[in-house]
Amino acid sequence: MILHTLLDYETLRVIWWVLLGVLLIGFAVMDGFDLGTAMLLPFVAETDLERRVVINSVGPVWEGNQVWLILGGGAVFAAWPPLYAVSFSGFYLAMFAILFALILRPVGFKYRSKREDPRWRASWDWALFVGGLVPALVTGVAVGNVLQGANFHFGPDLRIFYDGTTLFELLNPFGLLCGLLSVAMLVMHGANWLLLKTDGVVSERARTFGGLAAVAVIALFALGGLWLWLGVDGYRFVSAVVADGPSNPLAKTVERASGVWFENYGTMSWTLIAPALGFLGALASLGFSQGRKAVPALLSSALSIFGVISTVGVSMFPFILPSWTDPKSSLTVWDASSSHLTLFIMLVATVIFLPLILAYTTWVYRVLWGKVDERAIARGDGHAY
C-alpha cells in the first residue's frame, strides 16, 4: 500500500493514458502488418501458389497479434469507463463494420484452401482483402472524427446522449483523409513484412507497393497536419484544471478554437519528436525497402506508426474524446478515469503480465523466423494454409 500512496491519482491517470497509447500502438504495429498483407494479397500475388505464400507469411501469427486489440479494449473498459461507453455506443456502426471485417479473416484463412475451385479461392482472397481494408480504413476515419469532436453530450445525471445519426456522417472529408493515411501506413508495414518473409516476384512487388505507400504516408500525414491547423478546431480548458478530482466530465468549462491542437508543441517542445518520427520512419522505410533491407524497413515502418499515433495523442492531451455537441462534456485524462484504487490494481496486473506477453511473443517470432518456403507449400508439407 506504500506504492499506492506514492502514486497519486494524477500520476496514475497519466500512466494509464500512456499505457492506452502503448496498447493502441502495439495493436497497430503487431496486427498492422497482417492487415497490410491482406490488403496487398490480390496485388502482389498472381498465381494460387504465390497467394498461399502471402497467406502463410502471416498465418501462424495473426491470431496472436490480435491479443493487442483485446488488451486495448479491456484497458479502455476498465481504466476509462466513460470513454468505453461513449465510443462503443456512438461509434457502434463503425465498430460493427470493423468486427464484421475481422470475422472474415479467420474464416478466409481456414476455408480458402478447402476447395481447389479457382473462383472459390479468389472469393476468399477478396474476403481477406476486405478483412484488412475495412479495419484499417474505419479505424483511421474514427480517429479523424475524434480529432474533430464526436456528437455526444452528458445530461445532468451523467447519462450519455449520442447526437449523431448514421455511419455516413463519420465519412466526412477530414475523417476520410485520416482513413486513407491509416490504410497507407499499414500497407507500408505489410509490404515490409512481405519483403522480410518472401522471395522472388512476391517480394519485388511488395517492395514496389511499399515504396508507394511510404510516399503516400508522408504526403497524407503532411496534408493532415496542414488541414488540422487551418480547418479543424481544437479544444482547450477555460476553467481551472483539477487533475486529481473525481471523474465528472461536467465539472469544467471547455471552448473550441482554431490551432489549439498545436499548442502542446509550443509549451512542451519535446512533443515534436512524435510527428518527426512519423515522417522520418516513413522516409527510412522507403529507403530501406528500396535497398532490400527488410529488417530495418520493417522497424522503420513500425517507428512511423508509433510517430503518427503518438502525434494524435500528444496533440490532444489532456483530451481523449472531445464533444462537438457540448464541449463541456468532452472526456479528458482528468475526468474520465476509474477510481484511484482501480487504476493502481490494474497497473500492478499490467506490470506482471505485460512482460510475460512480450516475452512469449518474442519467443514465437524467434521460432518462426525465416522466409516462407514456396516449395514446401507446393509439396503440401506441414500445416500450410
Side-chain angles (χ1 to χ4, degrees):
M1 296 303 294
I2 296 177
L3 184 58
H4 174 247
T5 304
L6 292 175
L7 290 173
D8 58 50
Y9 204 5
E10 178 182 355
T11 302
L12 278 172
R13 281 169 161 167
V14 173
I15 288 173
W16 271 103
W17 174 78
V18 172
L19 284 175
L20 177 61
V22 168
L23 294 174
L24 293 177
I25 292 169
F27 169 66
V29 170
M30 298 304 298
D31 208 32
F33 69 74
D34 56 63
L35 293 175
T37 298
M39 285 187 278
L40 287 168
L41 176 61
F43 308 105
V44 299
E46 295 181 354
T47 67
D48 180 68
L49 181 57
E50 289 174 357
R51 293 188 176 186
R52 291 187 67 193
V53 167
V54 172
I55 292 170
N56 279 276
S57 72
V58 297
V61 297
W62 73 269
E63 289 177 291
N65 291 340
Q66 295 201 136
V67 167
W68 294 94
L69 176 62
I70 298 169
L71 290 174
V76 173
F77 174 77
W80 310 99
L83 174 63
Y84 181 90
V86 172
S87 58
F88 277 73
S89 58
F91 295 154
Y92 177 79
L93 292 177
M95 298 283 187
F96 184 83
I98 293 173
L99 179 62
F100 176 78
L102 291 177
I103 289 173
L104 282 177
R105 297 171 70 206
V107 179
F109 281 123
K110 299 298 183 182
Y111 282 90
R112 185 215 180 255
S113 297
K114 295 295 184 182
R115 295 173 57 184
E116 296 185 2
D117 182 0
R119 289 184 299 177
W120 169 270
R121 294 189 172 187
S123 297
W124 285 115
D125 289 340
W126 284 107
L128 289 170
F129 168 78
V130 171
L133 175 66
V134 171
L137 178 65
V138 175
T139 301
V141 168
V143 171
N145 280 272
V146 168
L147 285 164
Q148 296 174 94
N151 292 321
F152 73 95
H153 72 275
F154 287 95
D157 58 354
L158 295 183
R159 289 178 59 199
I160 300 169
F161 296 89
Y162 184 67
D163 305 307
T165 53
T166 66
L167 173 63
F168 295 102
E169 74 179 9
L170 300 178
L171 303 177
N172 52 74
F174 182 74
L176 287 172
L177 172 67
C178 293
L180 291 176
L181 172 58
S182 176
V183 169
M185 192 167 63
L186 298 191
V187 166
M188 172 182 67
H189 200 40
N192 289 334
W193 174 257
L194 289 175
L195 190 63
L196 175 68
K197 296 292 290 184
T198 65
D199 280 318
V201 292
V202 172
S203 180
E204 285 302 306
R205 292 176 191 138
R207 186 171 67 89
T208 299
F209 280 104
L212 294 173
V215 172
V217 168
I218 295 170
L220 292 171
F221 193 33
L223 179 58
L226 182 63
W227 196 328
L228 200 62
W229 173 262
L230 298 176
V232 177
D233 288 343
Y235 296 74
R236 64 184 170 201
F237 283 97
V238 176
S239 59
V241 177
V242 181
D244 57 354
S247 291
N248 180 1
L250 298 181
K252 65 179 182 297
T253 305
V254 174
E255 69 173 2
R256 280 197 306 267
S258 62
V260 171
W261 287 149
F262 289 81
E263 289 183 350
N264 283 343
Y265 299 111
T267 58
M268 300 179 290
S269 57
W270 59 268
T271 57
L272 289 168
I273 296 173
L277 291 178
F279 285 114
L280 292 175
L283 187 61
S285 172
L286 174 62
F288 285 127
S289 65
Q290 298 313 295
R292 296 177 175 83
K293 297 180 179 179
V295 173
L298 187 65
L299 294 176
S300 297
S301 57
L303 187 65
S304 181
I305 292 172
F306 173 87
V308 171
I309 297 177
S310 297
T311 297
V312 176
V314 299
S315 297
M316 293 179 58
F317 184 84
F319 288 86
I320 302 176
L321 183 60
S323 169
W324 172 265
T325 307
D326 178 27
K328 181 176 64 174
S329 296
S330 299
L331 300 177
T332 75
V333 173
W334 314 129
D335 58 27
S337 73
S338 294
S339 68
H340 188 186
L341 180 60
T342 299
L343 295 182
F344 175 76
I345 293 173
M346 289 176 57
L347 180 60
V348 171
T350 301
V351 169
I352 295 172
F353 290 106
L354 187 57
L356 295 176
I357 293 172
L358 291 173
Y360 177 74
T361 301
T362 302
W363 176 78
V364 167
Y365 278 87
R366 182 177 179 181
V367 170
L368 296 174
W369 190 260
K371 295 184 181 293
V372 177
D373 191 337
E374 184 174 308
R375 290 169 298 179
I377 293 176
R379 291 194 307 266
D381 294 351
H383 302 281
Y385 289 101

